[in-house]
Amino acid sequence: MEVALPLPIHRTFTYAVGDPSPVPGTRVLVPFRRDARIGWVVGPGEEGEIKGLRSVLDVLDPTPSVPADILHLCRWMADYYVAPLGIALRSALPAVLTDVSRDYVTLTGPVPPDVHPRERRLADALAGAVGPQPVATLRKALGMGSIWPEIRSLRDRGVLTHEAVPPSAPTVKTRRIVRITNAMQDLAERDAVFGRAGRQREAYELIEASGGAVELGHLVGELRFSRGVVSGLESKGLVGLSDEEVMRDPFAAVAPGEPPQLTPTPEQRAAIAAMVAALDEPHPAPFLLHGVTGSGKTLVYIELLRRVLDRGGSALVLVPEISLTPQTVSRFRAHFGDRIAVLHSGLSDGERYDAWRQLRSGARSVAVGARSALFAPLERLAAIVVDEEHDASYKQSEAPRYQARDLAVVRAHALGAVCVLGSATPSLESWHNAGAGKFRLLRLPERVGSAGLPVVRVVDLRVSRRQDAERRAEPGRRPGRARGVLGEELVAAVEERLARREQVILLLNRRGYSAFVQCRECGEVERCENCSISLTYHRLSQRLVCHHCRFEEAAPTRCSRCGSRDLSFRGLGTEQVERVTAETFPQARIARMDVDTTSGKWAHERILSRVERGEVDILLGTQMIAKGLDFPLVTLVGVVNADVGIHLPDFRASERTFQLLSQVAGRAGRGALGGEVLIQTSLPDHYAVRAAVNHDYEGFAGRELAEREKPRYPPHVRLVNVVTSSPDQQLAATAAEAAMAHARRYVARGARAAGVDGAPRGPHEVVELVGPAPAPIERLHGRWRWHFLMRAHSPAALGAVARSVAVDFSMPAGDVRLALDRDPVALL
Ligand code: ADP
Ligand code: ZN
Ligand code: ZN
């Protein structure tokens, strides 16, 4: 039997198994090296022919935990992103099901006298303990190697139970339910059965009126029936007692409001109609829903989902990050109530597993969640929606480095489901696909209602800084603190809103107080020990912090190189903007939202609900506040500095800037009050800034597509970024060179790479190699990094070379790693 293990090894393993052989997708426990590991059956393998084959220790699933369509998707993912199948499968399942350290055994019955001495030792160890015992701990304590054969044998004899449940967060909560087992039809029968047992009859009829089942605790608690009454019913054979599972849902406590009854606009109606019609197509092409901010995309999704559920289907909605879009989620919840399972990053492993099982069993039929919700086990999946499809969070940064938006298209295609990618600022990939006719473009060109898109004005920081300097030179003038942070126009605009009791959003996409500390004497910039990144000054904690590896140290008072005390703290961060804002507007209630203020569970929700309740006048933060928020009282959005990130050495820097500016601008004027956006920048003529000012997505896309022609970048070509890393700088370089040489030889052999699938060979099926060179971020987490790019038109040709690098290339000895990132979101 062929088993995939979640190990960084590009192959599967063969094990012997008894009859009947478990079906593909079933979890098994197998011996691996000197350990036991969880893997998945993925095929029949070549049993019988191999001698000395090790046996499977245990079959963990009664029914496969990976349904056939997810197994298919994982195979596709493993193949395309060049990841081991076991790693792909692990990323598709809740952690509880994939981690061997979560296995527990509990002694449940008497130990028969004839057990093997090893089994007896295990049973004795269990008898001496209370409650479930972790297998890993037992194994260590007993010191007799793998104890799985014994566990299996004792389990089969009813001596113990085995479960994959962490006892600290009991996964399955149960409650006792009283359920009617013998329904009585007529009154005469009731009179005869109950006679003078009036309380029994009352209880019986109450259970009947409650749909045939009531929780025992409720019956004897609030309803005050005695336990004897229930026993009486039980002994008459009228009711039965059973333990049923209770699911925990943290969102359940937050009651969603009534769904608003909205009448779709003509544009919304057209989009809905096209999607609903596609439900009847065998293999509908994906839709790209390009709707400006505030155009009512959510209502379109909701109407599509409603039709899907009406037809008995299920649906999947991906959102960038649930904690940032609580409003979108609560709209879905208001419409679909407990048919929804929300897969939130704040869920504990147990809660996540609960949600997963509810979907698997069909108890819930809509999954809403971030990237990994793509793998929700839904049957009769008829629609997949990817909201804010341009968002970078859909790409996973570790193996398997999948792009959930692209996998959504793949999953939908395999099932014949409708796939909708929605955004106000579609990724250039999707826009390109729409242009090429692969996606069907639907447009919502206007905002709902009369509001219209907000007016966007640019404040040229070069000019305002010059004016500031001149004014400072005037005698008798004290420059305000806002100087250089909040310009005069922005201050005036904020004051206006505060006076009218409206709300303001201020964006600066950089956290901390100062981005870097530089010595004025010798020019030295304080850098992270582990990364080639300057350290950010955090004023509150008085520390310098690396935003990549979290290294931190006390803020210096002297230059680390020359000892000078003349240090300048430069590069604005949100912490400083908060301070300046508080000093400039002492009466305003300010909330800051960035990674530093949202580390606790539900922190985002708390901040956003304060804004929603009108307890905040100014919400400031990083890109976190640019996504999906819908607050009608926000009439002003100020971008403190639009230039952050625009010069990053990455081919998507302009696209990211345009998306961020457009999205944050889209938070303004969503209500009847209208709105305005002020963008402070020293690059007012940059095309990303100009297009954002003019709400001109298509103009931006046209220009950006042209920019990516030379040199050629996606979407014109496909990319694989190959990154090597090592604590030894030379080794990282050597490995990159060797890997690239391997790739070059493979490409040179030509036919195999280019002629995959017997496709005709053309000039653009050649795989180009670029590099190797030090990565833009040369050092990260203490490892030096080199990279090279593989570029091609043909996904198959590119995949073949990538696979060869991953599988056939042998890395030089030493601590060096190689990572393949297919369709990278960034090349940093
Ligand atoms: P988007 O996601 O496109 O930015 P939303 O879906 O958040 O836009 O919708 C913006 C606002 O318009 C929301 O407050 C929503 O309730 C409202 N809205 C959407 N469609 C309609 C409609 N047909 N009639 C009235 N209000 C609507
Ligand atoms: Zn110095
Ligand atoms: Zn660092």
Side-chain angles (χ1 to χ4, degrees), residues 111-127:
V111 186
D114 61 334
V115 298
H116 188 276
R118 282 173 62 93
E119 293 170 7
R120 161 111 12 228
R121 275 186 68 195
L122 171 62
D124 288 348
L126 279 172

Side-chain angles (χ1 to χ4, degrees), residues 140 164 183 196 214 216 329 367 371 429 501 560 605 624 655 673 731 733 743 748 753 778 802 804:
K140 241 179 245 142
R196 301 209 345 241
V214 165
L216 177 64
V329 175
R371 185 175 65 228
E429 281 79 357
R501 312 209 137 270
S560 60
E605 283 79 357
M624 273 187 190
E655 186 182 9
L673 299 168
L731 190 52
E778 239 182 305
S804 174

Side-chain angles (χ1 to χ4, degrees), residues 654 687 701-713 716:
S654 297
Y687 65 96
R703 168 75 190 264
E704 182 67 13
L705 284 175
E707 293 284 329
R708 296 210 193 153
E709 284 284 1
K710 245 185 183 175
R712 285 167 80 70
Y713 275 116
H716 304 303

Side-chain angles (χ1 to χ4, degrees), residues 161-214:
T161 58
H162 157 230
E163 65 223 304
V165 169
S168 53
T171 306
V172 184
K173 270 200 217 159
T174 58
R175 51 183 185 185
R176 275 189 91 62
I177 300 286
V178 189
R179 189 179 291 280
I180 289 179
T181 48
N182 183 357
M184 287 180 287
Q185 302 304 327
D186 54 20
L187 275 174
E189 191 185 352
R190 285 172 199 223
D191 288 342
V193 168
F194 292 117
R196 301 209 345 241
R199 282 295 275 173
Q200 283 188 13
R201 182 170 182 163
E202 272 177 54
Y204 181 89
E205 289 177 349
L206 194 135
I207 301 168
E208 197 173 42
S210 313
V214 165

Side-chain angles (χ1 to χ4, degrees), residues 528-531 533 535 546-551 780-781:
C528 175
E529 282 186 359
N530 312 316
C531 313
I533 299 278
L535 293 169
C546 171
H547 285 180
H548 280 272
C549 73
R550 301 197 190 175
F551 165 85
L780 206 56
H781 296 275

Side-chain angles (χ1 to χ4, degrees), residues 1 20-28 40-43 59 62-66 71:
M1 189 186 63
S21 184
V23 298
T26 304
R27 282 183 318 140
V28 287
W40 291 268
V41 176
V42 291
V59 176
T63 52
S65 59
V66 184
L71 183 58

